[in-house]
Amino acid sequence: MSYPIIICEDNPVQLKQVEKTITNYLLFHEGNFEIKLATQSPDDVMHYLSQNEVSNGIFLLDIDLNHAVNGIELAVQIRQSCVDAKIIFITTHDELMPLTLQRKVEPLGFIAKDQALDVFRDEILELLILAKARNDKYNTDKNKSFNFSISNQTFSINKDEILSIETSTIPHKIVLYTIDEQHEFYDKLSEVSAKHPELFKISRSCLINLDNIETVNHHDREITFTNGMTRYYSIGKSKKLKNAMKR
Amino acid sequence: MVVDTKIYLLHFSLLTILQIIVLFFILYSVTNTKKIILYLLSMVPIMILLIVSDLFNILTICITYFIFKRYKFDFFVLSSILFVQIICTITYYFCESILNFVEKVFSSEITSFYPISFWSNVFLLVIVIFLVKRYKIVDRLKKSNLISTSLFLYFFLVIRLTIFISNFFDILDTSIMVINFLLIVQAIFTVLAFLIISYNRRKKYNFQLLKKQLDVLKEYTKELEYDEQVNAKFKHDYKNLLLSLKGSAENDSSSELINTVSDLEQYSDNYFKKIEVDFRHCQNIKNDYLKSLIISKLSKAKQKEIACHFECEMVVDKMPIDQFDCVRMFGIVLDNAIEAAVETAHPRIDIMLYQDDNQLEFWVRNNYVANTIDLKSLRQANVSTKAGHSGLGLVNIEEISQKHPNILKTFSKKKDIFSVNIKILVN
């Protein structure tokens, strides 16, 4: 499958350079990517997006576009219309705000303009390959993600890494534990359970991922997960749990 | 019941002496022989008065207080006297009511009523003295203030009034259980009132303390910010001067001057290379307390030579929760980050503050030495990562977020990066 590439860079020389780098690469790796649009104006990008459906798109954007809309704002707009977009910033900005950008548009990476040409080229290709790898993985794992949202942000967690999903002491607040993360969001455990029937209910307040169980101590009704976290299951669940684990 | 006046008087005097002993036991540390003699002398006429009426008890308390007080309002002495009075009155009526009860049940009179009553009083008071020692009641009494003393006074008056009224209507013997019950209710009420009042006082005190600390911090960071601006300006000017000096040295092609200038450049570069912290974005924080917190933590990180990156692109002015809770919580997160990062070879902390219409978001990312932070133990509130740690403070974060359901937290640790993200949603 070839992934669409869209480039937006106000400097025509640099735009050519980026384009050339990618076309040269494509000479030997045909079919991986396809340059759909290379433009100096962010308006063109938005226009193109309104006319065409772009899925798994890769966007190379200059931050400083000499335009009413800068690269970051453009990225925010792109993110709104293409949730799965891979965004790469090309920039000379020394005042970069990686965390804020991460928060707003989750870019795949940054490429600094002011460096040797071959390094610049290598970095572009490296990020393109990363984008492809992510897209490939995303497409095979599509139904393996657990999504939740907080106000206007959506978060996606790999289901394989989930240990448990639990209620908290605050009504409607749910805590999700993964192997090395802990998230809080608002939902009802019953609804989560209905949406993800593969999660096993060990008690009224706790759903778990059976795949990440390390050991179960049926005597104490204690479940230990791969990272050492422990949870207890309700008395009534013993038989069900044993059956579920056999499968 | 036949009352032998002589026995009754003896019994009465012995009880008063007991009471005096208990009082001495408590006031032992703040008294001297002169006071004790004065007190004992004054007790003789008072005891006579007491035989006439219980109401002279009030007089006893006043006289005792004026003899022992060390300064104008000595809450310790007053509450100790009241405490002893309450305890002795309770034990006295307790023994009395038990014996009365026994008499009623066996419907026969106890022949040696007074000796039994006296010895059980002694027994109870010994237990009281033991408890006073065991629970360091004296130390607690020393902390008495207006509130606890007035509660003691209130309880004492209630007891006295109850006894007086029941004596007056001559129902002390018949309805002793009802009176006991009333007194227990009163006692519970008094203790509850005391607990609630002292809890509120402590809360208020803590709040004022926090506010004071933050005000001091505000002053300090104002200076710090100013210094930082002066520094930045100086650095800028200095570099420009050095550059032009270098230019003119090269024009003059005086090798000695060129060498000297480049030496100077090297020297000052070494100095400037020291970790620089970016304070620019602090301008966007419009809440003084939050701004001071960030600046002071940034400069703390700078002192510890931690590479620190701070970004705050949006203007932060609204606080969706109480600003002090917010500042406290962010402070804890930053302290943790600094403590964890400083142990690594190349300490680094990235901080982001972000606000839009929906939320205030605070994100801190730091590196750490693997295995020092364990998410599992973070979840079990009370555990901190290592002994002697100033307390990971996550308990406090949890406590604050319990108070505000609109706080959502995310913790993650990946490779050597630990990250805490706190979103405070606008309701």
Side-chain angles (χ1 to χ4, degrees), chain A residues 113-132:
Chain A
K113 277 182 190 175
D114 37 9
Q115 53 185 339
L117 196 61
D118 51 338
V119 181
F120 180 68
R121 205 162 43 211
D122 288 350
E123 282 188 1
I124 288 186
L125 297 181
E126 213 173 279
L127 283 175
L128 283 183
I129 292 163
L130 179 64
K132 180 182 174 337

Side-chain angles (χ1 to χ4, degrees), chain A residues 72 94-104 150-153 155 161 163 169-171 173-174 177-186 227-231, chain B residues 280-281 309 311-314 350-354 356 358-359 361 363-365 375-376 379-380 398 401-402 404-414 423 425:
Chain A
I72 296 169
D94 50 354
E95 280 181 42
L96 255 185
M97 294 182 288
L99 265 68
T100 311
L101 274 183
Q102 183 75 33
R103 190 213 171 277
K104 285 166 104 176
I150 297 174
S151 62
N152 48 4
Q153 274 179 291
F155 298 86
E161 291 183 0
L163 302 181
T169 45
I170 291 161
K173 194 198 266 186
I174 285 196
Y177 294 111
T178 73
I179 293 167
D180 43 29
E181 283 175 38
Q182 175 183 340
H183 298 270
E184 289 177 349
F185 58 97
Y186 299 116
N227 73 343
M229 181 173 107
T230 57
R231 288 293 177 267
Chain B
R280 270 171 304 180
H281 281 142
H309 169 85
E311 49 192 81
C312 177
E313 184 203 15
M314 317 297 275
D350 295 315
I351 305 162
M352 183 203 75
L353 203 54
Y354 180 91
D356 60 21
N358 302 313
Q359 65 212 296
E361 186 173 335
W363 187 9
V364 177
R365 247 178 12 188
L375 264 184
K376 186 185 147 210
R379 289 178 201 122
Q380 295 161 350
E398 205 51 54
S401 84
Q402 287 291 328
H404 307 283
N406 55 331
I407 295 177
L408 293 174
K409 310 176 294 293
T410 298
F411 301 108
S412 93
K413 60 171 179 96
K414 291 209 165 137
K423 292 185 177 66
L425 305 190

Side-chain angles (χ1 to χ4, degrees), chain B residues 144-277:
Chain B
S144 327
N145 49 24
L146 182 61
I147 291 164
S148 58
T149 314
S150 21
L151 283 172
F152 270 128
L153 187 64
Y154 167 77
F155 190 51
F156 171 77
L157 289 177
V158 165
I159 292 181
R160 276 286 140 201
L161 201 66
T162 322
I163 290 167
F164 176 74
I165 291 172
S166 39
N167 267 334
F168 189 78
F169 293 107
D170 206 13
I171 50 168
L172 190 61
D173 286 350
T174 46
S175 46
I176 193 116
M177 286 304 165
V178 178
I179 293 166
N180 277 347
F181 174 74
L182 279 178
L183 285 181
I184 288 170
V185 170
Q186 277 298 328
I188 291 171
F189 165 76
T190 318
V191 170
L192 271 183
F194 176 72
L195 288 179
I196 289 169
I197 290 170
S198 59
Y199 172 76
N200 281 340
R201 275 176 72 101
R202 202 178 314 139
K203 215 167 106 179
K204 204 173 145 197
Y205 172 76
N206 280 343
F207 174 76
Q208 276 169 348
L209 191 74
L210 182 71
K211 192 172 175 315
K212 212 171 143 189
Q213 283 171 345
L214 283 173
D215 282 333
V216 173
L217 187 68
K218 215 163 87 180
E219 280 308 306
Y220 163 69
T221 49
K222 220 184 250 167
E223 281 171 34
L224 204 65
E225 200 186 0
Y226 177 73
D227 286 350
E228 220 39 68
Q229 279 168 359
V230 171
N231 261 348
K233 193 175 173 312
F234 168 75
K235 190 183 151 191
H236 182 228
D237 293 349
Y238 177 86
K239 284 219 157 168
N240 275 340
L241 272 174
L242 201 65
L243 210 64
S244 56
L245 194 60
K246 218 163 109 185
S248 61
E250 267 158 20
N251 279 343
D252 288 355
S253 58
S254 139
S255 63
E256 200 183 329
L257 190 55
I258 292 178
N259 284 341
T260 322
V261 169
S262 73
D263 278 354
L264 180 62
E265 193 182 16
Q266 224 167 28
Y267 169 77
S268 49
D269 269 356
N270 261 337
Y271 176 77
F272 285 135
K273 224 190 268 164
K274 282 198 175 156
I275 308 298
E276 263 185 73
V277 179

Side-chain angles (χ1 to χ4, degrees), chain B residues 110-160:
Chain B
I110 297 173
T111 40
S112 46
F113 187 92
Y114 284 118
I116 293 177
S117 165
F118 174 74
W119 286 113
S120 30
N121 250 304
V122 172
F123 175 69
L124 281 179
L125 286 179
V126 167
I127 290 179
V128 167
I129 288 182
F130 171 74
L131 289 178
V132 163
K133 255 204 131 130
R134 174 82 174 70
Y135 293 102
K136 301 200 169 103
I137 303 286
V138 180
D139 288 348
R140 279 166 207 241
L141 284 173
K142 276 185 179 155
K143 285 185 202 144
S144 327
N145 49 24
L146 182 61
I147 291 164
S148 58
T149 314
S150 21
L151 283 172
F152 270 128
L153 187 64
Y154 167 77
F155 190 51
F156 171 77
L157 289 177
V158 165
I159 292 181
R160 276 286 140 201

